[in-house]
Amino acid sequence: MTKPKTETVKSKLGGLYVQSLDGQELIFPLKHTEVQAKIAGNLSRVEVIQSFENPFNQPLEAVYVFPLPSSAAVDDMEIKIGDLRGAQQRSYRSIKGSIKKREEAQQIYQQAKQQGRTAGLLEQERDNIFTQSLANIKPGEQIDVTIRYTDSLKFAAVNYEFVFPMVVGPRYIPGTQIDGSRDTNQVPDASRITPPIIPEGMRSRHDINVKVEIDAGLPVSNLSSPSHQLEISQTAQIIHVKLAQEDTIPNKDLIIRYQVSGQETQSTVLTQADERGGHFAIYLIPAVEYNTEEIVAKDVVFLVDTSGSQSGPPLQKCQELMRRFINGLNPQDTFAILDFSHTVRQMSAQPLPNTPENRTKALAYINQLQAGGGTEMLSGIRAAISFPEPAGRVRTVVLLSDGYIGNENEILAEVQKHIKQGNRLYSFGAGSSVNRFLLNRIAEIGRGISTIIRHDEPTQEVAEKFFTQINNPVLTNIEITWEGEGEAPIIYPEALPDLFAEQPLVLFGKKSDAIPVNIHVKGIAAGAKTYEKTFHLNFELTGNPAVAQLWGRSRIKDLMNQMFGYETTKKVEAVTETALTYQLLSQYTAFVAVSDDVGVNPEEEVISMQVPVEMPEAVSYQGVFGGEIARGISLSAMSARTFYAIPMETTEFDITLINPSMMDVEEEQLAAKAPTPAHPQLEIVSITGLDTAAIAELTQHLQKLNLPSGYSGEIVFELIVNKRRVQRVMLNEEASTLKEDVVVEMIKKSLLTWRIPTTTNGNVVLTLRINS
């Protein structure tokens, strides 16, 4: 039997690093990232190579938290092991990663680590946050991890944009602490999405190089980057782009923009067929005219993030945008301004008419905004959605934020459940490395558009485009039908958006029998005119294989969109099955690679550390960590925190504070529904997978719950437990008779905070009865 090895855990910096002679560079395991992207038309194929080296005298486990695009279909991973000691480097050994269910991959990795084998584990924490773990890196050894993914470019009309994110920004973590790991009942994986940050004024040796090849099929013009200095060359029709030598610090998103000559309304159709069926992608910009003279009276609620991470250039850019928005409103419009950090503030209790006096008042309010405190976005979203709405107007909510929070699903669930029919939510992110996943997804759910602008970009064009979009969509009530033989195609997104000026309609579909099909797109254009377009699809084995991966990713996204509030067993199974069939990384699958040989003595002490990351460009250390820096708090203590709440300075401006507890719409609805003060009895019907002591502890823990009255029935949960923690809570919808969101979510949060008294790993099935 293998003896468990001793492990020195250094999840924070805690003094574990090699410092250069001049004291300005910290040497950590990750030394270089190489990115190679090939763009063909609307698709990109990207290869990311992360090079790790053990600079210490003991075997090392390195854990690195990093971003990728939220729409990336990650379908390949391998590790290469090489020994750097001696005069010549030995040849590399390559180990191909295998896709497994996440818990199975974790078990394989942990077993390999205990056996002294080199192993790699790639996991997805969020759509845009990933964790790479490498076990048993020997002193002087280098391991290269290669990750490959397919993505669909963002484009509108002839304008294309390629984005590669480079750093995970600091996240504000709300909720009740579960243990000393920083995890909370609102963000139970907080410790996995908040890597330590390198001290101000210092940097690691980690650098990045990006090479992009663009084959647009048509002439490319106006290629530029607002984020980085580029070196550009051309061979035949291929444009070669790479980062300039002086711009290789991985602390901001790489943004490359270009235009392609040709018809603005040109449609692109891609198909592919294999043993899984026929897959297709349709990229369409409808050829419809936009009536710029039609003016619709609207009411706009502006919601501005004034938390600590917005300090300096990000908030200044939001203020600049806000001034343009206020001055660009139509005379008959109404508006309101709210801002939030640890509390929510509002300029007025009701929407204001767009008069010169009110605009002056609004500009004064905008100018006095200051950043500080935590990011209680949930309270801000609730306040904006429930803000008094004038009759006869189209309500639009405009969110301005960097999105640096850990409870994204909680925010998205709130918008999904409570935004009113006909209302829209637009999001604007200002900064170098904003949370694009949250900002993009919240706009999708809110039937609006997301816009990302760097803190140093001009705002006039952005504001003008916003007003073009907000006045009227160009195509509404879009319907997709099909004509042909065989099985019906499965097309995503299922909930089709309204389209705005120059915005494309992007569809990913699958026809299991691969029989040719006609796809009809129909909608209502300006002036109540009918728009129709038909696509005839033939599936060929020689088609683009990336199309299948993007369909798989779209299906996973659609299923995950249905689980913002809580996970369900059937949908988790569907996501897992799709991810395994299409070899895709997801929150329920992971890539694992293990060497055959034992390279490290299983009894030898091993260092385990989390690789620190750069602070995103233009994000303030003071704004994020507050007075801890000034007081000389150690970096290890800093890294153990997320946002530090800075007290807001008082101003003479008359600001109304909104009590977040008063904004809990669900509690208000429940109170109205159930006037009786008595609380229901919660009874444990059955538990499998726990011993007697744990069952007794859980029973006592759940009895503390103060559930709302008015509900009765049985709820069946499936739990995944590990390391004396409940890691995941899933509702078995088929076996449950009570499925009210508010009850399920309250019990879920309680289960996540429960500390299991005995070492139990695996699955637990819990049946509860609520007797109101």
Side-chain angles (χ1 to χ4, degrees), residues 673-708:
K673 218 180 214 186
T676 55
H679 292 290
Q681 297 296 314
L682 188 152
E683 175 190 352
I684 295 180
V685 177
S686 64
I687 303 178
T688 61
L690 292 178
D691 60 23
T692 305
I695 291 174
E697 288 271 357
L698 179 57
T699 302
Q700 187 176 7
H701 177 81
L702 289 175
Q703 291 303 323
K704 299 174 185 176
L705 265 176
N706 191 17
L707 293 175

Side-chain angles (χ1 to χ4, degrees), residues 261-405:
S261 302
Q263 295 273 342
E264 289 191 10
T265 57
Q266 184 175 359
S267 300
T268 302
V269 178
L270 303 173
T271 62
Q272 180 266 355
D274 56 27
E275 68 280 359
R276 298 167 299 191
H279 303 86
F280 60 88
I282 296 175
Y283 300 87
L284 166 67
I285 299 179
V288 294
E289 294 183 359
Y290 178 70
N291 186 0
T292 57
E293 296 179 357
E294 186 175 353
I295 297 176
V296 177
K298 55 189 175 295
D299 174 71
V300 186
V301 174
F302 297 101
L303 179 63
V304 189
D305 180 353
T306 53
S307 63
S309 64
Q310 290 274 100
S311 295
L315 180 57
Q316 292 166 13
K317 186 58 58 175
C318 288
Q319 289 172 305
E320 184 182 334
L321 272 170
M322 282 289 299
R323 285 189 285 267
R324 290 191 182 277
F325 290 158
I326 294 298
N327 286 323
L329 291 170
N330 293 322
Q332 74 277 31
D333 293 340
T334 56
F335 67 90
I337 301 176
L338 289 75
D339 71 283
F340 67 93
S341 52
H342 54 284
T343 58
V344 183
R345 294 160 291 273
Q346 59 187 23
M347 185 184 73
S348 59
Q350 299 287 333
L352 300 176
N354 183 21
T355 64
E357 295 77 15
N358 286 333
R359 286 197 300 273
T360 300
K361 182 180 179 181
L363 294 175
Y365 187 91
I366 293 166
N367 292 337
Q368 61 80 42
L369 292 175
Q370 299 177 38
T375 317
E376 291 292 342
M377 185 181 288
L378 184 60
S379 298
I381 289 291
R382 285 174 171 169
I385 289 177
S386 61
F387 198 77
E389 186 173 342
R393 295 176 185 272
V394 177
R395 161 60 60 83
T396 298
V397 177
V398 179
L399 169 68
L400 298 95
S401 172
D402 54 23
Y404 283 164
I405 58 170

Side-chain angles (χ1 to χ4, degrees), residues 110-130:
Q110 290 298 329
Q111 183 179 22
K113 186 170 76 168
Q114 292 296 331
Q115 293 172 341
R117 303 178 190 276
T118 302
L121 178 67
L122 177 62
E123 301 171 90
Q124 177 183 314
E125 314 299 343
R126 300 285 189 277
D127 281 28
N128 61 338
I129 300 180
F130 301 80

Side-chain angles (χ1 to χ4, degrees), residues 349-567:
Q350 299 287 333
L352 300 176
N354 183 21
T355 64
E357 295 77 15
N358 286 333
R359 286 197 300 273
T360 300
K361 182 180 179 181
L363 294 175
Y365 187 91
I366 293 166
N367 292 337
Q368 61 80 42
L369 292 175
Q370 299 177 38
T375 317
E376 291 292 342
M377 185 181 288
L378 184 60
S379 298
I381 289 291
R382 285 174 171 169
I385 289 177
S386 61
F387 198 77
E389 186 173 342
R393 295 176 185 272
V394 177
R395 161 60 60 83
T396 298
V397 177
V398 179
L399 169 68
L400 298 95
S401 172
D402 54 23
Y404 283 164
I405 58 170
N407 59 325
E408 291 103 327
N409 277 6
E410 200 170 27
I411 304 300
L412 297 171
E414 188 71 19
V415 174
Q416 198 173 56
K417 285 189 287 188
H418 296 300
I419 194 166
K420 297 176 183 176
Q421 185 70 28
N423 291 356
R424 298 188 186 277
L425 193 157
Y426 294 77
S427 62
F428 288 83
S432 66
S433 310
V434 300
N435 185 353
R436 290 173 182 261
F437 160 63
L438 173 64
L439 297 173
N440 289 341
R441 197 65 58 87
I442 201 171
E444 287 178 20
I445 295 169
R447 299 182 296 278
I449 290 181
S450 171
T451 301
I452 309 300
I453 181 172
R454 278 181 54 85
H455 56 280
D456 50 9
E457 283 191 89
T459 58
Q460 181 175 348
E461 185 178 344
V462 172
E464 290 174 353
K465 187 174 182 180
F466 167 68
F467 282 112
T468 300
Q469 294 167 344
I470 196 175
N471 281 327
N472 267 316
V474 298
L475 196 64
T476 61
N477 300 330
I478 300 174
E479 297 178 358
I480 306 295
T481 57
W482 68 285
E483 177 188 4
E485 298 180 356
E487 298 184 18
I490 304 172
I491 301 174
Y492 296 107
E494 283 192 343
L496 295 169
D498 292 339
L499 297 186
F500 300 88
E502 298 186 337
Q503 182 191 2
L505 176 65
V506 181
L507 303 173
F508 295 104
K510 174 183 178 180
K511 199 167 187 298
S512 297
D513 53 22
I515 296 175
V517 64
N518 290 328
I519 300 295
H520 304 292
V521 179
K522 185 177 180 180
I524 305 299
K529 297 178 181 177
T530 299
Y531 172 88
E532 292 183 278
K533 189 166 181 66
T534 297
F535 299 90
H536 181 68
L537 306 179
N538 282 308
F539 302 99
E540 300 179 6
L541 294 175
T542 57
N544 192 327
V547 177
Q549 304 305 93
L550 290 173
W551 179 86
R553 184 66 175 167
S554 297
R555 173 168 167 76
I556 290 172
K557 174 183 174 181
D558 185 82
L559 290 164
M560 295 301 293
N561 281 354
Q562 300 174 47
M563 294 191 290
F564 289 139
Y566 52 83
E567 296 164 302

Side-chain angles (χ1 to χ4, degrees), residues 40-148:
N42 301 309
L43 301 181
S44 63
R45 182 65 178 171
V46 184
E47 182 176 272
V48 181
I49 304 173
Q50 300 165 345
S51 296
F52 295 83
E53 178 186 333
N54 184 355
F56 308 111
N57 295 321
Q58 294 171 261
L60 172 71
E61 178 187 34
V63 179
Y64 175 46
V65 178
F66 65 97
L68 288 175
S70 60
S71 55
V74 181
D75 57 16
D76 195 17
M77 172 261 199
E78 66 178 317
I79 63 175
K80 294 182 179 180
I81 307 169
D83 195 334
L84 301 182
R85 293 172 297 188
Q88 292 184 341
Q89 180 176 316
R90 298 178 185 177
S91 60
Y92 277 98
R93 293 174 289 133
S94 295
I95 306 169
K96 186 79 170 175
S98 300
I99 190 81
K100 304 283 185 184
K101 291 183 178 179
R102 187 168 183 175
E103 287 77 19
E104 181 184 355
Q106 290 171 339
Q107 292 171 1
I108 293 171
Y109 174 82
Q110 290 298 329
Q111 183 179 22
K113 186 170 76 168
Q114 292 296 331
Q115 293 172 341
R117 303 178 190 276
T118 302
L121 178 67
L122 177 62
E123 301 171 90
Q124 177 183 314
E125 314 299 343
R126 300 285 189 277
D127 281 28
N128 61 338
I129 300 180
F130 301 80
T131 299
Q132 178 64 64
S133 303
L134 291 171
N136 295 319
I137 310 174
K138 294 185 293 186
E141 189 173 62
Q142 177 171 316
I143 296 182
D144 290 346
V145 181
T146 301
I147 302 165
R148 298 181 180 92

